[in-house]
């Protein structure tokens, strides 16, 4: 890491300009349609904040550029898949169960406990990180993308060895909704990773309805491969701040709010 940063700081910094990233994603995929354009102001705010406020190292800038480009590319592929498979839009998301609550109130252990119920369908980390094509029932535990995503988690564990003592990660473990919302670039995922006050303050004033509409499309996509008839189990603490938008998109949803004495 020290070597990469030392070399990187002697080179021109990698651009995190949102318009250049959009063009690169189009070029890499050969696709044009990102779907609902309401994500663009969020992407622009995020890119500006990362460049101006996050004080990224050379390695951090490399990782962020790759992450942003991956999300844009998969957004293009997911929209294209939806066009090619109109049955995806017909998927019904019925009575989803959302776990919410302040951080460190036991949301993760409750999520992982309820995920043991075979009647529940939850987004696994690997299928959120590599969503196209959607998983199939036959390969849900053997898809080669599982090993690919697990290698990424192993790299993170080497870079940040203490993180797993706070929050366990793994390709087949349940993934939080902040990672789904991150494809719309309106997500607390970025705020917990960086000190970017301009983006944080802007995000707090936004209507999250378009982000949750994207969230529903993402679940429809995953469900079109496997899980139809199961109940969706979902979790992230920031849902608490967005219940109006969540219930507008999922009017039959159930919400479990966890509580814990701060002391």
């Amino acid at each position: 890491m020290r070597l990469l940063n030392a070399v990187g700081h002697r080179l021109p910094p990698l651009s995190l300009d949102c318009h250049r990233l959009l063009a690169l994603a189009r070029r890499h995929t050969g696709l044009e349609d990102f779907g609902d354009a309401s994500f663009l102001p969020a992407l622009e705010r995020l890119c500006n904040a990362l460049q101006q406020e996050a004080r990224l190292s050379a390695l951090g800038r490399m990782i962020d550029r790759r992450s942003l480009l991956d999300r844009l590319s998969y957004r293009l592929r997911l929209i294209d898949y939806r066009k090619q498979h109109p049955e995806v839009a017909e998927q019904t998301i019925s009575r989803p169960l959302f776990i919410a609550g302040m951080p460190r109130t036991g949301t993760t252990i409750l999520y992982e406990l309820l995920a043991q119920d075979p009647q529940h369908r939850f987004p696994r980390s690997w299928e959120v990180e590599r969503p196209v094509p959607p998983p199939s029932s036959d390969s849900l535990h053997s898809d080669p993308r599982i090993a690919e995503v697990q290698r990424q988690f192993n790299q993170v564990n080497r870079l940040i060895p203490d993180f797993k003592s706070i929050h366990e990660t793994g390709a087949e473990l349940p993934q939080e909704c902040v990672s789904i919302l991150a494809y719309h670039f309106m997500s607390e995922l970025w705020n917990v990773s960086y000190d970017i006050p301009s983006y944080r303050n802007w995000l707090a004033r936004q209507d999250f309805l378009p982000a949750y509409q994207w969230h529903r499309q993402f679940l429809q996509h995953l469900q079109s491969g496997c899980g139809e008839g199961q109940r969706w189990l979902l979790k992230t603490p920031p849902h608490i701040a967005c219940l109006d938008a969540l219930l507008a998109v999922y009017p039959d949803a159930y919400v479990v709010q966890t509580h814990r004495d701060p002391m």
Side-chain angles (χ1 to χ4, degrees):
M1 287 173 61
R2 286 194 294 270
L3 178 61
L4 283 170
N5 283 327
V7 172
H9 282 306
R10 290 179 170 83
L11 300 173
L14 290 170
S15 174
L16 295 179
D17 177 77
C18 73
H19 301 291
R20 189 171 297 183
L21 291 171
L22 289 165
L24 279 172
R26 289 189 174 106
R27 189 192 312 164
H28 288 174
T29 61
L31 301 169
E32 291 290 329
D33 188 1
F34 285 99
D36 178 14
S38 63
F39 78 94
L40 289 171
L43 176 65
E44 186 167 12
R45 290 272 182 170
L46 174 61
C47 288
N48 288 341
L50 288 172
Q51 293 194 99
Q52 297 169 14
E53 299 171 351
R55 294 181 297 168
L56 296 172
S57 65
L59 179 59
R61 187 174 284 260
M62 289 169 56
I63 292 171
D64 283 346
R65 191 170 186 270
R66 180 73 262 169
S67 175
L68 292 168
L69 192 53
D70 277 351
R71 293 191 186 281
L72 287 169
S73 298
Y74 274 110
R75 185 181 175 103
L76 283 166
R77 292 182 178 126
L78 193 142
I79 294 297
D80 182 66
Y81 187 93
R82 191 178 182 89
K83 289 179 180 177
Q84 302 299 324
H85 300 83
E87 68 275 11
V88 172
E90 298 173 5
Q91 291 289 320
T92 300
I93 309 298
S94 180
R95 300 187 308 115
L97 178 60
F98 288 86
I99 299 170
M102 293 295 287
R104 317 311 301 163
T105 59
T107 55
T108 300
I109 189 62
L110 179 61
Y111 188 27
E112 293 179 356
L113 177 64
L114 294 180
Q116 304 307 309
D117 186 340
Q119 296 183 76
H120 283 157
R121 170 74 164 97
F122 56 88
R124 291 165 172 80
S125 291
W126 74 265
E127 58 181 336
V128 173
E129 293 295 320
R130 298 288 183 270
V132 182
S136 68
S137 300
D138 294 338
S139 63
L140 191 59
H141 301 289
S142 59
D143 192 293
R145 288 173 287 180
I146 298 173
E148 181 185 348
V149 171
Q150 187 58 52
R151 283 194 293 272
Q152 286 187 325
F153 282 121
N154 293 342
Q155 289 173 353
V156 172
N157 287 334
R158 282 195 290 271
L159 290 172
I160 317 170
D162 293 336
F163 183 75
K164 59 182 178 290
S165 67
I166 300 171
H167 195 301
E168 189 177 2
T169 58
E172 294 200 79
L173 290 179
Q175 181 57 281
E176 294 197 22
C177 294
V178 285
S179 293
I180 296 175
L181 294 170
Y183 285 93
H184 202 75
F185 302 95
M186 293 179 66
S187 173
E188 289 295 331
L189 178 68
W190 313 106
N191 285 328
V192 299
S193 303
Y194 309 98
D195 184 14
I196 43 177
S198 65
Y199 173 80
R200 183 176 64 246
N201 295 335
W202 175 86
L203 193 67
R205 300 191 301 270
Q206 300 312 301
D207 179 3
F208 268 75
L209 182 61
Y212 279 92
Q213 289 169 335
W214 163 263
H215 184 279
R216 183 175 178 274
Q217 289 185 23
F218 201 98
L219 295 190
Q220 286 179 315
H221 175 81
L222 297 184
Q223 184 174 288
S224 70
C226 68
E228 191 169 7
Q230 292 177 289
R231 183 186 199 176
W232 275 101
L233 173 68
L234 303 144
K235 175 259 180 178
T236 202
H239 284 318
I240 281 294
C242 307
L243 291 180
D244 288 347
L246 186 156
L247 293 172
V249 174
Y250 301 106
D252 60 347
Y254 287 74
V255 179
V256 176
Q257 181 181 358
T258 54
H259 300 269
R260 185 181 189 181
D261 187 327
M263 299 304 291

